[in-house]
Amino acid sequence: MSKALERRAKLREALIEAAERAIAAKGLGGLRTRDLADEIGIANGGVYNLVDDLDELILRVGSRTLARLDASLSLAEISGPATPREMLVRIAVAYCDFASDNLELWRALFEHRMQPGKEVPDWAISEQMELFGHIYRPLAALFPKRDPQQLGITARSLFSAVHGMVALGLEQKLIAVPIKALRSEIARLVQAMIDGLLARKD
Amino acid sequence: MSKALERRAKLREALIEAAERAIAAKGLGGLRTRDLADEIGIANGGVYNLVDDLDELILRVGSRTLARLDASLSLAEISGPATPREMLVRIAVAYCDFASDNLELWRALFEHRMQPGKEVPDWAISEQMELFGHIYRPLAALFPKRDPQQLGITARSLFSAVHGMVALGLEQKLIAVPIKALRSEIARLVQAMIDGLLARKD
């Protein structure tokens, strides 16, 4: 790699890390490219030599958040033997913990919307889809007769339901719940959903 | 009421309705007090003679949205006899339909955050809490031995889970689902959760 390319790669990395710190501290709304440029010592316009636009910068930070979420869920998975049902509960609780520990970065994953007319790039979509594997694998073990498409729909529903509990549970308004109570309530509802789905057999 | 007070009340109503139309068309991010002032024919600063601040204006619009949601859920309830379990499914599907039909106004209920240091006023909190009655009543019939606090927690969990499915299901990114499929998936998961909770008896 040429010196110039190497320097650009380092600056790009520094920019993404600065954006990550800014979002972690103040949320998506607190992201100012001018501040980031100051922080890494480049001119304000220089940001757009390093990333295409603000959408790309936010998606690159999201990519790092998703990689850490993936690692957290994998760690939960290998933390001891578990039935598929126990594994789904463990993953749901690990998801809750990750969201609580990375509140603003996690919120940014869901609050970010692309500029009008722009699509989420394929690389970002596949990173998001890969995370469904954590839910998909134990579900496939629980429902061996379901085809991949049905399992995909159930994985998405289960994720959405847990996500809703975490999102509203961690909200700082009327429905804020102590994290310990939230974890056990999530475990209870995930168990109930799985038991109910198993009883239906459809 | 004096003429002046009457005029103020009318202008205030016009302002809230203009804000409602603006949010419905462009979301919370599209709300500009200058445009609203133009629309109802007052000076820009005059907006703050009618409401305390932007938070109050958004909460007043939210109040109208919640009243219409309440009416939609009540309509679903009286649309024919139902067991408590069927009633919970019906309410979840009606919630999904309302969100889909009032996408931006419904999103604004959840996206709005108060200015730092300001609390959501009590009148807004009680309006939000009243809506839980729609879930609480059939749950109380299904679980007659649970105390009000436990029922309240279950009502909140069930709501959060359904809300998550609706919110991610209606998102215009990777997990957008056709509304018909979303409705039947919500019905399926709500039934499973209730069956699972009934089987646990805790």
Side-chain angles (χ1 to χ4, degrees), chain B residues 22 45 58 81 86 89 104 114 116 118 123 172 183:
Chain B
I58 294 169
E86 288 164 347
V89 173
E104 293 295 351
M114 300 292 288
K118 280 191 59 187
W123 65 263
Q172 296 307 309
R183 297 171 99 243

Side-chain angles (χ1 to χ4, degrees), chain B residues 36-53:
Chain B
L36 303 179
D38 278 354
E39 194 176 331
I40 64 168
I42 61 172
N44 189 18
V47 164
Y48 298 108
N49 296 327
L50 300 174
V51 289
D52 289 341
D53 51 24

Side-chain angles (χ1 to χ4, degrees), chain A residues 93-160:
Chain A
V93 172
Y95 181 73
C96 175
D97 288 344
F98 182 88
S100 169
D101 294 341
N102 298 272
L103 195 55
E104 292 295 351
L105 287 167
W106 169 77
R107 274 186 181 152
L109 291 176
F110 294 91
E111 283 179 3
H112 171 236
R113 307 234 178 105
M114 301 292 287
Q115 291 302 305
K118 280 191 62 189
E119 301 280 322
V120 178
D122 288 342
W123 65 264
I125 291 179
S126 19
E127 282 180 359
Q128 294 167 13
M129 295 312 286
E130 258 173 49
L131 278 167
F132 277 97
H134 293 280
I135 313 176
Y136 187 93
R137 288 184 292 271
L139 271 182
L142 276 173
F143 301 95
K145 288 188 186 155
R146 291 204 189 171
D147 65 38
Q149 203 207 338
Q150 289 173 313
L151 286 172
I153 292 173
T154 305
R156 187 177 56 198
S157 298
L158 202 57
F159 168 72
S160 302

Side-chain angles (χ1 to χ4, degrees), chain B residues 54-72:
Chain B
L54 199 58
D55 280 334
E56 194 204 343
L57 181 57
I58 294 169
L59 287 171
R60 294 291 170 192
V61 172
S63 176
R64 292 169 59 98
T65 309
L66 290 174
R68 287 189 301 114
L69 172 57
D70 188 34
S72 290

Side-chain angles (χ1 to χ4, degrees), chain A residues 4-71:
Chain A
L5 275 180
E6 207 176 301
R7 181 171 176 275
R8 183 180 177 278
K10 273 189 189 165
L11 276 176
R12 184 179 143 95
E13 188 68 14
L15 173 69
I16 294 168
E17 286 172 7
E20 186 177 52
R21 286 191 297 274
I23 295 173
K26 289 180 284 179
L28 263 192
L31 198 63
R32 304 264 176 276
T33 53
R34 183 179 299 270
D35 298 344
L36 303 179
D38 279 355
E39 195 176 331
I40 65 169
I42 62 172
N44 189 19
V47 165
Y48 298 109
N49 296 326
L50 301 173
V51 288
D52 289 340
D53 50 25
L54 199 60
D55 280 333
E56 194 203 345
L57 181 58
I58 294 170
L59 287 170
R60 294 291 171 192
V61 172
S63 176
R64 292 169 60 98
T65 309
L66 290 175
R68 287 189 301 112
L69 172 58
D70 188 35

Side-chain angles (χ1 to χ4, degrees), chain A residues 109 111-113 128-129 153-154 156-157 160 164 168 173-175 185 188-189 191-193 196 200, chain B residues 109 111-113 128-129 153-154 156-157 160 164 173-175 185 188-189 191-193 196 200 202:
Chain A
L109 291 176
E111 283 179 3
H112 171 236
R113 307 234 178 105
Q128 294 167 13
M129 295 312 286
I153 292 173
T154 305
R156 187 177 56 198
S157 298
S160 302
L168 297 187
K173 3 189 182 180
L174 75 159
I175 16 187
E185 186 59 14
R188 199 170 74 95
L189 211 70
Q191 283 161 7
M193 278 189 274
R200 287 170 63 90
Chain B
L109 291 175
E111 285 180 2
H112 171 237
R113 306 234 178 104
Q128 293 167 13
M129 296 311 288
I153 293 173
T154 305
R156 188 177 55 199
S157 299
S160 302
K173 359 189 183 184
L174 77 158
I175 15 187
E185 189 58 14
R188 199 169 75 94
L189 212 70
Q191 284 160 6
M193 279 189 276
R200 287 169 63 91
D202 65 356

